Amino acid sequence: NFGEYALVIDTIPPICIPENLSSSLLYKDNDTISFTVKDNMSDISKYEALIDNKWALLEYDLKKNKMFYVVDKSRLIRNKKHSMIINLEDIAGNKSSFEYFFNY
């Protein structure tokens, strides 16, 4: 007798929730934009950030489920609205994409 078994399928993609992102704010050099990332069953296996369709560095704290972007004056044009796309994938292969806007 092998006991009881359950089969669980993860079909829900991860989510990304901005913590301090607002399209009405004007961000300055070295400001931090943070996000909470969550998945219902597994961890985030891959992530990517694009700002104005160019790769951007995000820091990921797995223990706290937080992602951070530090505003980088060397890559952004001042007095402009910028787009940020965050692509996430969990261990089960579920993918999600989020687009946000911020002013610098």
Side-chain angles (χ1 to χ4, degrees), residues 53-80:
N53 292 317
K54 294 180 184 173
W55 182 86
L57 177 64
L58 273 185
E59 296 179 43
Y60 180 34
D61 184 339
L62 177 64
K63 290 181 182 181
K64 295 181 180 178
N65 294 320
K66 304 281 184 195
M67 287 188 171
F68 307 93
Y69 171 70
V70 179
V71 175
D72 181 2
K73 69 179 180 179
S74 67
R75 66 164 301 145
L76 298 174
I77 298 170
R78 280 209 178 274
N79 301 314
K80 181 182 175 199

Side-chain angles (χ1 to χ4, degrees), residues 9-93:
I9 299 173
D10 181 1
T11 59
I12 300 172
I15 60 171
C16 180
I17 305 162
E19 293 183 344
N20 64 341
L21 183 67
S22 172
S23 60
S24 64
L25 289 176
L26 181 63
Y27 292 90
K28 301 176 295 224
D29 300 340
N30 298 319
D31 280 352
T32 300
I33 301 173
S34 57
F35 305 88
T36 298
V37 291
K38 295 181 182 180
D39 190 66
N40 67 323
M41 297 184 85
S42 57
D43 289 327
I44 306 297
S45 64
K46 295 179 187 175
Y47 63 93
E48 175 187 53
L50 302 170
I51 295 180
D52 300 330
N53 292 317
K54 294 180 184 173
W55 182 86
L57 177 64
L58 273 185
E59 296 179 43
Y60 180 34
D61 184 339
L62 177 64
K63 290 181 182 181
K64 295 181 180 178
N65 294 320
K66 304 281 184 195
M67 287 188 171
F68 307 93
Y69 171 70
V70 179
V71 175
D72 181 2
K73 69 179 180 179
S74 67
R75 66 164 301 145
L76 298 174
I77 298 170
R78 280 209 178 274
N79 301 314
K80 181 182 175 199
K81 183 177 186 177
H82 297 276
S83 71
M84 175 185 280
I85 297 173
I86 298 178
N87 298 312
L88 301 173
E89 184 175 344
D90 66 16
I91 292 173

